[in-house]
């Protein structure tokens, strides 16, 4: 299982493009991601999944759009790529 880092752009905890981090963790869990954690109120998350970067990124953007009404750009990196 790969450790992934998701970096979401244009996400805020208040105001425009509001995305509470607890909701992001719940969304990732619903997508089958394991051990999801978020970093402060940044829109960044770390989790484990066997899915590919394109599937994860598109799935996250689609799920956020359905629930919150906006589609943030999502950059998916492996732990090694981030290092």
């Amino acid at each position: 299982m790969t450790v992934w880092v998701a970096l979401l752009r244009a996400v805020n905890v208040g105001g425009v493009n509001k995305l509470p981090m607890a909701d992001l963790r719940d969304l990732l869990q619903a997508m089958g991601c394991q051990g999801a954690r978020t970093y402060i109120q940044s829109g960044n998350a770390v989790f484990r999944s066997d899915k590919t970067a394109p599937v994860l990124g598109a799935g996250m953007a689609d799920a956020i759009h359905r629930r919150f009404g906006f589609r943030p750009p999502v950059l998916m990196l492996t732990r090694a790529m981030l290092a």
Side-chain angles (χ1 to χ4, degrees), residues 5-25:
V5 177
L7 305 175
L8 282 68
R9 298 215 31 191
V11 169
N12 296 300
V13 295
V16 178
N17 295 344
K18 183 177 177 182
L19 178 60
M21 296 299 97
D23 291 341
L24 177 57
R25 288 188 300 271

Side-chain angles (χ1 to χ4, degrees), residues 3-83:
V3 174
W4 288 101
V5 177
L7 305 175
L8 282 68
R9 298 215 31 191
V11 169
N12 296 300
V13 295
V16 178
N17 295 344
K18 183 177 177 182
L19 178 60
M21 296 299 97
D23 291 341
L24 177 57
R25 288 188 300 271
D26 292 345
L27 182 144
L28 290 167
Q29 183 177 347
M31 290 177 55
C33 300
Q34 297 181 4
R37 300 184 134 208
T38 53
Y39 181 70
I40 55 173
Q41 301 296 324
S42 63
N44 300 328
V46 177
F47 56 88
R48 293 182 312 279
S49 177
D50 286 329
K51 296 177 183 174
T52 64
V55 169
L56 289 167
M60 288 176 66
D62 290 346
I64 291 167
H65 184 256
R66 281 191 303 273
R67 184 160 177 194
F68 296 98
F70 68 96
R71 184 181 309 276
V74 180
L75 176 62
M76 297 300 307
L77 302 170
T78 63
R79 183 171 54 181
M81 292 167 70
L82 187 64

